[in-house]
Amino acid sequence: MRRLPPPTALLCALLLTSGTGCAPAGTTVRPADSATAGAKGVGDPLFPAMGNGGYEVEHYGLSLTYEPKDGSLTGTAEISARTDRALSSFSLDFHGLQIDRATVDGATAAATRAGDALRLTPAKELAADTAFTAVISYHGVPEALTDPDGSQEGWLKTPDGAVALGEPNGSMAWFPGNHHPSDKAAYDLTVTVPEGMTAVSNGELGKQETANGRTSFAWHTAEPMASYLATVAIGSFTLDRTAAGTVPQTVAIHTAQAKRAADVPSWVASATDWGARLFGPYPFSSTGATIGSGPSIDYALETQTRPYFNHAPDEISVVHEIAHQWFGDSVTPGSWQDMWLNEGFATYAEWLWQEQHGGPTAADTFAEYYALPATDDLWSFAPAKPPSAEEVSGDPVYYRGAMTLQKLRETIGDTAFFTILRTWTTDHRHGNVRTTDFTDLCAKATGKNLTPLFEKWLYTSGKPTTP
Ligand code: TRP
Ligand code: ZN
Protein backbone atom coordinates (compact mmCIF):
# COMPACT_ATOMS: atom_id res chain seq x y z
CA MET A 1 0.00 0.00 0.00
CA ARG A 2 2.68 2.49 0.99
CA ARG A 3 6.19 1.88 -0.06
CA LEU A 4 9.36 3.34 1.33
CA PRO A 5 11.83 3.58 -1.52
CA PRO A 6 15.06 1.77 -0.71
CA PRO A 7 18.28 3.72 -1.22
CA THR A 8 18.70 3.90 -5.00
CA ALA A 9 22.34 2.87 -5.06
CA LEU A 10 21.58 -0.24 -3.05
CA LEU A 11 18.61 -1.16 -5.19
CA CYS A 12 20.76 -0.82 -8.29
CA ALA A 13 23.43 -3.03 -6.80
CA LEU A 14 20.84 -5.72 -6.12
CA LEU A 15 19.24 -5.40 -9.52
CA LEU A 16 22.65 -5.69 -11.14
CA THR A 17 23.53 -8.83 -9.22
CA SER A 18 20.15 -10.36 -9.98
CA GLY A 19 20.68 -9.60 -13.67
CA THR A 20 17.49 -7.60 -14.03
CA GLY A 21 19.45 -4.55 -15.11
CA CYS A 22 19.82 -1.09 -13.63
CA ALA A 23 21.38 1.14 -16.19
CA PRO A 24 24.80 2.42 -15.13
CA ALA A 25 25.66 5.97 -16.18
CA GLY A 26 26.41 6.26 -19.87
CA THR A 27 24.33 3.30 -21.06
CA THR A 28 21.10 3.69 -22.99
CA VAL A 29 18.08 4.06 -20.78
CA ARG A 30 14.79 2.71 -22.08
CA PRO A 31 11.98 5.20 -22.43
CA ALA A 32 9.99 5.37 -19.19
CA ASP A 33 6.87 3.91 -20.77
CA SER A 34 8.52 0.82 -22.20
CA ALA A 35 7.36 -2.23 -20.24
CA THR A 36 10.00 -4.16 -18.34
CA ALA A 37 10.02 -7.14 -16.01
CA GLY A 38 9.24 -6.15 -12.41
CA ALA A 39 12.19 -6.74 -10.10
CA LYS A 40 12.52 -9.69 -7.77
CA GLY A 41 13.29 -8.21 -4.33
CA VAL A 42 12.86 -4.65 -3.09
CA GLY A 43 16.45 -4.14 -2.02
CA ASP A 44 16.26 -5.24 1.61
CA PRO A 45 19.91 -5.73 2.58
CA LEU A 46 19.18 -8.62 4.97
CA PHE A 47 16.40 -10.27 2.92
CA PRO A 48 17.31 -9.44 -0.70
CA ALA A 49 14.88 -11.98 -2.19
CA MET A 50 11.80 -10.75 -0.36
CA GLY A 51 9.26 -8.44 -1.91
CA ASN A 52 8.98 -7.43 -5.53
CA GLY A 53 9.32 -4.30 -7.63
CA GLY A 54 7.01 -2.59 -10.09
CA TYR A 55 3.74 -2.69 -8.19
CA GLU A 56 2.10 -2.23 -4.80
CA VAL A 57 -0.71 -4.31 -3.42
CA GLU A 58 -3.86 -2.52 -2.24
CA HIS A 59 -5.91 -5.53 -1.16
CA TYR A 60 -5.61 -9.29 -0.72
CA GLY A 61 -8.79 -11.34 -1.01
CA LEU A 62 -7.85 -14.82 0.19
CA SER A 63 -10.22 -17.79 0.16
CA LEU A 64 -8.72 -20.85 1.79
CA THR A 65 -10.09 -24.30 2.49
CA TYR A 66 -8.14 -26.43 4.93
CA GLU A 67 -8.43 -30.14 5.55
CA PRO A 68 -6.74 -30.95 8.89
CA LYS A 69 -6.88 -34.71 8.18
CA ASP A 70 -4.32 -34.62 5.40
CA GLY A 71 -2.99 -31.09 5.90
CA SER A 72 -4.08 -29.91 2.47
CA LEU A 73 -4.89 -26.36 1.58
CA THR A 74 -6.84 -25.16 -1.45
CA GLY A 75 -6.70 -21.44 -2.03
CA THR A 76 -7.55 -18.56 -4.28
CA ALA A 77 -5.71 -15.28 -3.90
CA GLU A 78 -7.26 -12.23 -5.50
CA ILE A 79 -4.60 -9.55 -5.45
CA SER A 80 -5.61 -6.00 -6.27
CA ALA A 81 -2.54 -3.94 -7.01
CA ARG A 82 -1.22 -0.90 -8.82
CA THR A 83 1.77 -0.70 -11.11
CA ASP A 84 4.37 2.00 -10.51
CA ARG A 85 5.87 1.48 -13.99
CA ALA A 86 4.92 -0.31 -17.18
CA LEU A 87 5.32 -4.06 -16.65
CA SER A 88 5.80 -6.95 -19.05
CA SER A 89 5.81 -9.34 -16.07
CA PHE A 90 5.95 -9.16 -12.31
CA SER A 91 6.93 -11.44 -9.52
CA LEU A 92 5.33 -12.64 -6.27
CA ASP A 93 6.83 -14.48 -3.30
CA PHE A 94 5.33 -17.95 -3.02
CA HIS A 95 6.67 -21.15 -1.52
CA GLY A 96 5.82 -24.74 -2.37
CA LEU A 97 2.15 -25.05 -3.28
CA GLN A 98 1.04 -25.94 -6.84
CA ILE A 99 -0.53 -23.31 -9.07
CA ASP A 100 -3.75 -24.38 -10.78
CA ARG A 101 -4.50 -21.21 -12.69
CA ALA A 102 -3.43 -17.57 -12.83
CA THR A 103 -5.18 -14.66 -14.46
CA VAL A 104 -4.44 -10.96 -14.70
CA ASP A 105 -7.44 -8.72 -15.33
CA GLY A 106 -9.45 -11.79 -16.27
CA ALA A 107 -7.10 -13.18 -18.93
CA THR A 108 -4.90 -16.23 -18.37
CA ALA A 109 -1.36 -15.25 -17.40
CA ALA A 110 1.72 -17.41 -17.83
CA ALA A 111 3.09 -18.53 -14.47
CA THR A 112 6.70 -19.61 -14.00
CA ARG A 113 8.43 -20.64 -10.77
CA ALA A 114 12.06 -20.24 -9.71
CA GLY A 115 12.61 -21.14 -6.08
CA ASP A 116 10.23 -19.00 -4.02
CA ALA A 117 9.59 -16.56 -6.86
CA LEU A 118 6.41 -16.86 -8.90
CA ARG A 119 6.49 -14.76 -12.06
CA LEU A 120 3.28 -13.88 -13.87
CA THR A 121 3.37 -12.68 -17.46
CA PRO A 122 0.01 -11.14 -18.37
CA ALA A 123 -1.37 -11.63 -21.86
CA LYS A 124 -1.18 -7.85 -22.27
CA GLU A 125 1.54 -5.62 -20.81
CA LEU A 126 0.47 -3.50 -17.86
CA ALA A 127 0.67 0.27 -18.22
CA ALA A 128 2.39 2.45 -15.62
CA ASP A 129 0.32 3.71 -12.66
CA THR A 130 -2.55 1.39 -13.42
CA ALA A 131 -4.69 -0.80 -11.20
CA PHE A 132 -4.78 -4.52 -12.01
CA THR A 133 -6.10 -7.69 -10.43
CA ALA A 134 -4.26 -10.99 -10.34
CA VAL A 135 -6.15 -14.13 -9.36
CA ILE A 136 -4.11 -17.20 -8.47
CA SER A 137 -5.63 -20.58 -7.61
CA TYR A 138 -3.43 -23.10 -5.87
CA HIS A 139 -3.40 -26.21 -3.74
CA GLY A 140 -1.06 -28.53 -1.86
CA VAL A 141 0.26 -29.23 1.61
CA PRO A 142 1.70 -25.98 2.97
CA GLU A 143 5.01 -26.23 4.82
CA ALA A 144 6.70 -24.87 7.87
CA LEU A 145 9.81 -22.84 7.07
CA THR A 146 12.90 -22.59 9.20
CA ASP A 147 13.85 -18.99 9.94
CA PRO A 148 17.35 -17.67 9.43
CA ASP A 149 17.62 -17.84 13.26
CA GLY A 150 16.41 -21.46 13.40
CA SER A 151 12.84 -20.90 14.63
CA GLN A 152 9.80 -22.24 12.79
CA GLU A 153 7.30 -20.15 10.88
CA GLY A 154 5.08 -20.44 7.82
CA TRP A 155 2.26 -22.98 8.03
CA LEU A 156 2.59 -24.95 11.26
CA LYS A 157 0.51 -27.99 12.08
CA THR A 158 -0.98 -28.16 15.56
CA PRO A 159 -2.48 -31.20 17.30
CA ASP A 160 -5.95 -30.43 15.90
CA GLY A 161 -5.38 -27.91 13.12
CA ALA A 162 -2.80 -25.39 12.01
CA VAL A 163 -1.49 -21.88 12.55
CA ALA A 164 0.09 -19.53 10.03
CA LEU A 165 2.84 -17.22 11.34
CA GLY A 166 4.89 -15.08 9.02
CA GLU A 167 7.77 -13.22 10.61
CA PRO A 168 9.96 -12.54 8.76
CA ASN A 169 8.99 -14.40 5.58
CA GLY A 170 6.68 -17.32 6.37
CA SER A 171 3.56 -15.88 4.76
CA MET A 172 4.79 -17.01 1.34
CA ALA A 173 4.12 -20.58 2.53
CA TRP A 174 0.33 -20.05 2.38
CA PHE A 175 -0.41 -17.25 -0.08
CA PRO A 176 1.36 -15.60 -3.00
CA GLY A 177 2.08 -11.95 -2.33
CA ASN A 178 4.45 -9.05 -2.12
CA HIS A 179 6.01 -10.35 1.06
CA HIS A 180 7.99 -7.41 2.36
CA PRO A 181 6.82 -5.13 5.19
CA SER A 182 7.20 -2.05 2.97
CA ASP A 183 4.07 -3.02 1.02
CA LYS A 184 1.06 -3.02 3.34
CA ALA A 185 -2.46 -3.82 2.18
CA ALA A 186 -6.02 -4.41 3.36
CA TYR A 187 -7.22 -8.02 3.65
CA ASP A 188 -10.33 -10.13 3.39
CA LEU A 189 -9.57 -13.65 4.49
CA THR A 190 -12.21 -16.36 4.26
CA VAL A 191 -11.23 -19.71 5.72
CA THR A 192 -13.32 -22.86 5.32
CA VAL A 193 -12.80 -25.71 7.77
CA PRO A 194 -14.67 -28.87 8.80
CA GLU A 195 -17.85 -28.08 10.73
CA GLY A 196 -17.15 -27.88 14.46
CA MET A 197 -13.74 -26.27 14.00
CA THR A 198 -13.06 -22.55 14.16
CA ALA A 199 -10.85 -20.50 11.84
CA VAL A 200 -9.40 -17.35 13.39
CA SER A 201 -7.68 -14.54 11.54
CA ASN A 202 -6.95 -10.81 11.76
CA GLY A 203 -9.50 -8.04 12.09
CA GLU A 204 -13.22 -8.52 12.51
CA LEU A 205 -15.32 -11.60 11.88
CA GLY A 206 -18.10 -11.02 9.37
CA LYS A 207 -20.16 -13.84 7.93
CA GLN A 208 -19.94 -17.31 9.37
CA GLU A 209 -21.71 -19.91 7.23
CA THR A 210 -22.10 -23.67 7.46
CA ALA A 211 -22.99 -25.87 4.49
CA ASN A 212 -22.21 -29.49 3.57
CA GLY A 213 -20.28 -30.19 6.75
CA ARG A 214 -17.99 -27.18 6.41
CA THR A 215 -17.97 -23.76 8.03
CA SER A 216 -16.56 -20.60 6.45
CA PHE A 217 -15.27 -17.74 8.56
CA ALA A 218 -14.90 -14.37 6.80
CA TRP A 219 -12.43 -12.00 8.50
CA HIS A 220 -11.92 -8.41 7.42
CA THR A 221 -8.90 -6.16 7.96
CA ALA A 222 -9.56 -2.64 6.73
CA GLU A 223 -6.36 -1.02 7.97
CA PRO A 224 -3.08 -1.59 6.12
CA MET A 225 -1.27 -4.75 7.25
CA ALA A 226 2.22 -6.01 6.48
CA SER A 227 1.96 -9.58 5.22
CA TYR A 228 4.18 -10.97 8.00
CA LEU A 229 1.41 -9.99 10.43
CA ALA A 230 -1.32 -11.93 8.62
CA THR A 231 -2.43 -15.04 10.46
CA VAL A 232 -4.82 -17.96 10.41
CA ALA A 233 -5.39 -20.30 13.34
CA ILE A 234 -7.53 -23.39 12.87
CA GLY A 235 -8.68 -25.70 15.64
CA SER A 236 -11.03 -26.00 18.56
CA PHE A 237 -11.28 -22.31 19.50
CA THR A 238 -13.95 -20.31 21.26
CA LEU A 239 -14.23 -16.59 20.58
CA ASP A 240 -14.34 -14.57 23.78
CA ARG A 241 -15.86 -11.10 23.48
CA THR A 242 -16.85 -10.67 27.11
CA ALA A 243 -14.00 -8.45 28.24
CA ALA A 244 -13.42 -5.21 26.45
CA GLY A 245 -12.07 -1.80 27.23
CA THR A 246 -12.73 1.03 24.83
CA VAL A 247 -11.79 -1.03 21.74
CA PRO A 248 -13.92 -3.96 20.46
CA GLN A 249 -12.12 -7.15 21.32
CA THR A 250 -12.04 -10.80 20.23
CA VAL A 251 -9.82 -13.28 22.06
CA ALA A 252 -9.74 -16.73 20.46
CA ILE A 253 -8.96 -19.35 23.09
CA HIS A 254 -8.21 -22.96 22.32
CA THR A 255 -10.51 -25.13 24.40
CA ALA A 256 -7.51 -27.00 25.82
CA GLN A 257 -6.21 -23.68 27.26
CA ALA A 258 -9.54 -22.33 28.55
CA LYS A 259 -8.71 -22.58 32.26
CA ARG A 260 -5.15 -21.30 32.06
CA ALA A 261 -6.14 -18.43 29.74
CA ALA A 262 -9.05 -17.22 31.87
CA ASP A 263 -7.39 -13.86 32.64
CA VAL A 264 -6.12 -13.15 29.14
CA PRO A 265 -9.19 -11.25 27.86
CA SER A 266 -9.01 -8.75 30.73
CA TRP A 267 -5.22 -8.38 30.27
CA VAL A 268 -5.71 -7.66 26.56
CA ALA A 269 -8.34 -5.01 27.37
CA SER A 270 -6.21 -3.31 30.02
CA ALA A 271 -3.00 -3.44 27.93
CA THR A 272 -4.87 -1.96 24.96
CA ASP A 273 -6.31 0.93 26.98
CA TRP A 274 -3.03 1.50 28.80
CA GLY A 275 -1.21 1.65 25.46
CA ALA A 276 -3.76 4.11 24.10
CA ARG A 277 -3.13 6.45 27.03
CA LEU A 278 0.65 6.26 26.68
CA PHE A 279 1.27 5.81 22.95
CA GLY A 280 -1.75 7.54 21.40
CA PRO A 281 -5.03 6.22 19.96
CA TYR A 282 -5.12 2.46 19.34
CA PRO A 283 -4.48 2.16 15.59
CA PHE A 284 -6.94 -0.60 14.59
CA SER A 285 -10.68 -1.20 14.70
CA SER A 286 -10.37 -4.17 17.04
CA THR A 287 -7.97 -5.80 19.48
CA GLY A 288 -7.61 -9.29 20.87
CA ALA A 289 -5.37 -12.34 20.92
CA THR A 290 -5.25 -15.96 19.84
CA ILE A 291 -4.31 -18.52 22.47
CA GLY A 292 -3.38 -21.76 20.72
CA SER A 293 -2.51 -25.20 21.98
CA GLY A 294 0.82 -26.05 20.36
CA PRO A 295 2.84 -26.07 18.12
CA SER A 296 6.09 -26.07 20.04
CA ILE A 297 7.42 -22.73 18.92
CA ASP A 298 9.29 -20.65 21.46
CA TYR A 299 7.92 -17.25 20.60
CA ALA A 300 4.72 -15.23 20.46
CA LEU A 301 3.92 -13.08 17.44
CA GLU A 302 2.24 -9.67 17.18
CA THR A 303 -0.12 -10.76 14.37
CA GLN A 304 -2.23 -7.69 13.69
CA THR A 305 -5.16 -7.13 16.10
CA ARG A 306 -4.80 -10.71 17.31
CA PRO A 307 -1.31 -11.57 18.66
CA TYR A 308 -0.64 -15.30 18.68
CA PHE A 309 0.48 -17.19 21.78
CA ASN A 310 1.03 -20.94 21.47
CA HIS A 311 -0.27 -21.42 25.02
CA ALA A 312 -1.73 -19.20 27.76
CA PRO A 313 0.74 -16.30 28.20
CA ASP A 314 1.66 -14.31 31.29
CA GLU A 315 0.52 -10.71 31.58
CA ILE A 316 3.80 -9.09 30.53
CA SER A 317 3.89 -11.08 27.27
CA VAL A 318 0.43 -9.73 26.49
CA VAL A 319 1.73 -6.21 27.16
CA HIS A 320 4.66 -6.80 24.76
CA GLU A 321 2.52 -8.08 21.88
CA ILE A 322 -0.19 -5.45 22.36
CA ALA A 323 2.49 -2.71 22.38
CA HIS A 324 3.59 -4.03 18.97
CA GLN A 325 0.20 -2.98 17.59
CA TRP A 326 1.56 0.60 17.69
CA PHE A 327 5.23 -0.28 17.23
CA GLY A 328 5.60 -2.65 14.31
CA ASP A 329 2.04 -3.20 13.16
CA SER A 330 0.87 0.38 12.65
CA VAL A 331 4.32 2.00 12.45
CA THR A 332 6.20 -0.61 10.43
CA PRO A 333 9.89 -0.73 9.53
CA GLY A 334 10.47 -0.35 5.80
CA SER A 335 13.47 -2.65 6.09
CA TRP A 336 14.20 -5.63 8.34
CA GLN A 337 17.41 -3.94 9.54
CA ASP A 338 15.26 -1.53 11.52
CA MET A 339 13.68 -4.27 13.62
CA TRP A 340 14.73 -2.49 16.84
CA LEU A 341 11.90 -0.02 16.06
CA ASN A 342 9.62 -3.03 16.75
CA GLU A 343 11.38 -4.99 19.44
CA GLY A 344 13.20 -2.20 21.28
CA PHE A 345 9.91 -0.33 21.66
CA ALA A 346 7.81 -3.37 22.64
CA THR A 347 10.45 -4.34 25.20
CA TYR A 348 10.54 -0.80 26.56
CA ALA A 349 6.73 -0.96 26.85
CA GLU A 350 7.24 -3.93 29.21
CA TRP A 351 9.65 -1.85 31.30
CA LEU A 352 7.13 1.00 31.45
CA TRP A 353 4.31 -1.36 32.40
CA GLN A 354 6.38 -2.80 35.26
CA GLU A 355 7.38 0.68 36.43
CA GLN A 356 3.73 1.76 36.52
CA HIS A 357 2.42 -1.43 38.13
CA GLY A 358 4.56 -1.77 41.24
CA GLY A 359 7.60 -3.39 39.59
CA PRO A 360 11.13 -2.12 39.05
CA THR A 361 11.55 1.27 37.37
CA ALA A 362 12.75 1.35 33.78
CA ALA A 363 15.99 2.84 35.14
CA ASP A 364 16.40 -0.22 37.41
CA THR A 365 15.78 -2.57 34.49
CA PHE A 366 18.31 -0.64 32.40
CA ALA A 367 20.88 -1.02 35.18
CA GLU A 368 20.29 -4.78 35.33
CA TYR A 369 21.07 -5.12 31.64
CA TYR A 370 23.99 -2.70 31.77
CA ALA A 371 25.55 -4.90 34.44
CA LEU A 372 25.90 -7.78 31.96
CA PRO A 373 29.56 -8.42 31.08
CA ALA A 374 31.02 -7.13 27.80
CA THR A 375 31.13 -10.73 26.58
CA ASP A 376 27.34 -11.11 26.82
CA ASP A 377 25.30 -11.49 23.60
CA LEU A 378 23.61 -8.21 24.49
CA TRP A 379 26.70 -6.35 23.27
CA SER A 380 27.41 -8.50 20.20
CA PHE A 381 26.25 -5.95 17.63
CA ALA A 382 24.71 -2.47 17.36
CA PRO A 383 20.89 -2.64 17.55
CA ALA A 384 20.25 -0.52 14.44
CA LYS A 385 22.77 -2.58 12.44
CA PRO A 386 22.02 -6.32 12.74
CA PRO A 387 24.85 -7.86 10.72
CA SER A 388 22.83 -10.72 9.22
CA ALA A 389 19.32 -12.10 8.75
CA GLU A 390 19.68 -14.51 11.69
CA GLU A 391 20.45 -11.62 13.99
CA VAL A 392 17.36 -9.47 13.39
CA SER A 393 15.84 -11.14 16.46
CA GLY A 394 19.03 -11.00 18.55
CA ASP A 395 19.33 -9.65 22.10
CA PRO A 396 20.72 -6.22 21.10
CA VAL A 397 17.61 -5.55 18.98
CA TYR A 398 15.33 -6.17 21.96
CA TYR A 399 17.20 -5.13 25.09
CA ARG A 400 19.80 -2.67 23.87
CA GLY A 401 17.03 -1.16 21.73
CA ALA A 402 15.01 -0.63 24.92
CA MET A 403 18.11 0.68 26.72
CA THR A 404 18.47 3.30 23.98
CA LEU A 405 14.94 4.54 24.71
CA GLN A 406 15.72 4.74 28.43
CA LYS A 407 18.84 6.82 27.72
CA LEU A 408 16.81 9.05 25.43
CA ARG A 409 14.18 9.52 28.13
CA GLU A 410 16.83 10.42 30.73
CA THR A 411 18.45 12.88 28.33
CA ILE A 412 15.33 14.77 27.21
CA GLY A 413 13.00 14.29 30.19
CA ASP A 414 9.66 12.53 30.57
CA THR A 415 7.47 15.21 29.00
CA ALA A 416 9.47 15.40 25.77
CA PHE A 417 9.95 11.63 25.68
CA PHE A 418 6.28 10.67 25.97
CA THR A 419 5.29 13.43 23.54
CA ILE A 420 7.74 11.98 21.02
CA LEU A 421 6.25 8.49 21.41
CA ARG A 422 2.81 9.89 20.57
CA THR A 423 4.09 12.04 17.72
CA TRP A 424 5.85 8.97 16.29
CA THR A 425 2.67 6.85 16.29
CA THR A 426 0.61 9.74 14.89
CA ASP A 427 2.97 10.89 12.14
CA HIS A 428 3.62 7.36 10.88
CA ARG A 429 0.27 5.72 11.62
CA HIS A 430 -0.16 2.81 9.18
CA GLY A 431 3.08 3.77 7.46
CA ASN A 432 6.66 2.60 7.04
CA VAL A 433 9.67 4.03 8.80
CA ARG A 434 13.46 3.95 9.02
CA THR A 435 15.60 4.53 12.09
CA THR A 436 16.56 7.97 10.80
CA ASP A 437 12.88 8.98 10.83
CA PHE A 438 12.93 8.40 14.58
CA THR A 439 16.26 10.08 15.32
CA ASP A 440 15.29 13.05 13.11
CA LEU A 441 12.00 13.41 15.01
CA CYS A 442 13.84 13.39 18.35
CA ALA A 443 16.25 16.09 17.18
CA LYS A 444 13.47 18.23 15.76
CA ALA A 445 11.17 17.88 18.76
CA THR A 446 13.84 18.73 21.33
CA GLY A 447 16.19 21.02 19.43
CA LYS A 448 19.01 19.02 21.03
CA ASN A 449 22.00 17.44 19.38
CA LEU A 450 21.22 13.79 20.10
CA THR A 451 23.67 12.40 17.55
CA PRO A 452 26.25 11.33 20.16
CA LEU A 453 23.56 9.46 22.12
CA PHE A 454 22.26 7.55 19.10
CA GLU A 455 25.79 6.92 17.80
CA LYS A 456 26.71 5.37 21.11
CA TRP A 457 23.55 3.31 21.75
CA LEU A 458 22.25 2.43 18.29
CA TYR A 459 25.18 2.35 15.93
CA THR A 460 28.27 1.28 17.88
CA SER A 461 28.82 -2.39 18.69
CA GLY A 462 30.35 -3.51 21.98
CA LYS A 463 29.44 -2.49 25.52
CA PRO A 464 29.53 1.30 26.01
CA THR A 465 32.15 2.11 28.66
CA THR A 466 29.77 4.39 30.54
CA PRO A 467 26.02 3.82 30.98
N1 TRP B 1 8.21 -10.51 17.00
C1 TRP B 1 8.14 -11.57 17.98
C2 TRP B 1 8.03 -10.86 19.35
O1 TRP B 1 7.02 -10.40 19.70
C3 TRP B 1 9.29 -12.50 17.98
C4 TRP B 1 9.62 -13.10 16.68
C5 TRP B 1 9.02 -14.17 16.11
C6 TRP B 1 10.60 -12.69 15.75
N2 TRP B 1 9.58 -14.45 14.90
C7 TRP B 1 10.54 -13.57 14.66
C8 TRP B 1 11.51 -11.67 15.73
C9 TRP B 1 11.37 -13.44 13.58
C10 TRP B 1 12.33 -11.53 14.64
C11 TRP B 1 12.26 -12.41 13.56
O2 TRP B 1 8.96 -10.68 20.05
ZN1 ZN C 1 8.36 -8.43 20.05
Side-chain angles (χ1 to χ4, degrees):
M1 212 168 211
R2 279 218 265 159
R3 162 72 49 84
L4 189 88
T8 321
L10 179 66
L11 180 61
C12 281
L14 285 156
L15 290 176
L16 281 171
T17 54
S18 70
T20 321
C22 194
T27 58
T28 329
V29 180
R30 286 164 173 262
D33 58 352
S34 149
T36 53
K40 175 72 209 125
V42 293
D44 191 299
L46 298 180
F47 293 85
M50 298 310 294
N52 307 276
Y55 67 95
E56 288 184 23
V57 178
E58 301 285 336
H59 180 265
Y60 290 92
L62 306 177
S63 296
L64 309 174
T65 300
Y66 188 61
E67 181 46 73
K69 277 207 193 82
D70 60 8
S72 64
L73 183 73
T74 306
T76 301
E78 183 174 316
I79 301 172
S80 309
R82 217 181 155 80
T83 60
D84 55 31
R85 74 198 68 155
L87 291 175
S88 53
S89 72
F90 60 92
S91 135
L92 296 152
D93 307 293
F94 195 40
H95 176 84
L97 307 168
Q98 285 84 55
I99 308 279
D100 298 316
R101 180 170 153 79
T103 64
V104 173
D105 292 336
T108 300
T112 54
R113 311 283 294 266
D116 292 335
L118 162 64
R119 184 164 291 275
L120 296 188
T121 306
K124 233 177 99 227
E125 291 180 347
L126 299 170
D129 296 313
T130 304
F132 69 95
T133 303
V135 180
I136 300 144
S137 309
Y138 55 96
H139 75 275
V141 176
E143 292 172 6
L145 307 180
T146 302
D147 270 5
D149 78 351
S151 52
Q152 294 287 104
E153 55 160 343
W155 191 271
L156 306 169
K157 293 191 84 161
T158 58
D160 67 341
V163 60
L165 298 173
E167 190 178 26
N169 53 23
S171 291
M172 67 177 170
W174 56 285
F175 68 97
N178 198 16
H179 291 306
H180 189 269
S182 57
D183 189 4
K184 301 207 239 180
Y187 284 70
D188 278 280
L189 242 150
T190 300
V191 188
T192 304
V193 293
E195 187 176 355
M197 300 201 113
T198 300
V200 185
S201 184
N202 314 87
E204 293 86 52
L205 179 59
K207 261 203 249 150
Q208 180 180 328
E209 286 176 321
T210 300
N212 307 321
R214 295 180 171 274
T215 307
S216 297
F217 297 82
W219 293 88
H220 175 65
T221 295
E223 298 96 0
M225 177 163 75
S227 74
Y228 78 95
L229 298 168
T231 185
V232 171
I234 295 163
S236 172
F237 289 95
T238 52
L239 302 180
D240 181 296
R241 297 195 177 91
T242 53
T246 54
V247 178
Q249 172 174 311
T250 301
V251 179
I253 302 177
H254 195 279
T255 50
Q257 292 287 319
K259 270 217 183 72
R260 267 165 293 192
D263 290 332
V264 172
S266 71
W267 293 343
V268 168
S270 54
T272 301
D273 283 349
W274 174 80
R277 285 195 297 277
L278 221 51
F279 311 138
Y282 180 76
F284 305 113
S285 38
S286 65
T287 186
T290 300
I291 318 302
S293 177
S296 50
I297 46 166
D298 59 358
Y299 63 85
L301 190 64
E302 63 268 26
T303 41
Q304 193 157 303
T305 67
R306 201 141 291 114
Y308 183 82
F309 303 88
N310 70 338
H311 55 76
D314 56 12
E315 189 178 26
I316 201 70
S317 305
V318 171
V319 169
H320 179 104
E321 303 306 336
I322 293 294
H324 271 307
Q325 303 304 307
W326 286 265
F327 306 111
D329 294 19
S330 172
V331 181
T332 307
S335 158
W336 286 112
Q337 279 172 304
D338 293 320
M339 182 72 109
W340 85 277
L341 294 171
N342 287 10
E343 301 304 344
F345 282 64
T347 301
Y348 195 68
E350 294 180 49
W351 299 7
L352 288 171
W353 174 273
Q354 286 165 336
E355 175 173 291
Q356 296 181 16
H357 294 82
T361 64
D364 290 341
T365 309
F366 175 99
E368 249 179 69
Y369 281 100
Y370 187 75
L372 291 170
T375 51
D376 193 273
D377 274 355
L378 174 62
W379 312 114
S380 57
F381 61 88
K385 289 197 296 187
S388 68
E390 56 265 42
E391 280 150 312
V392 294
S393 51
D395 283 1
V397 170
Y398 282 73
Y399 308 109
R400 190 166 164 183
M403 293 174 86
T404 303
L405 294 175
Q406 174 60 20
K407 292 315 289 182
L408 173 67
R409 180 180 167 195
E410 285 172 12
T411 306
I412 66 179
D414 275 14
T415 307
F417 178 76
F418 288 103
T419 302
I420 283 173
L421 289 188
R422 282 187 292 268
T423 307
W424 180 241
T425 63
T426 306
D427 287 0
H428 299 288
R429 183 180 167 91
H430 300 156
N432 287 111
V433 286
R434 303 297 309 259
T435 295
T436 47
D437 293 318
F438 184 70
T439 54
D440 288 351
L441 165 65
C442 294
K444 215 175 105 205
T446 61
K448 286 200 166 105
N449 176 14
L450 299 167
T451 304
L453 181 138
F454 290 126
E455 265 307 313
K456 175 173 169 175
W457 286 98
L458 283 183
Y459 293 111
T460 308
S461 70
K463 181 174 178 176
T465 48
T466 54

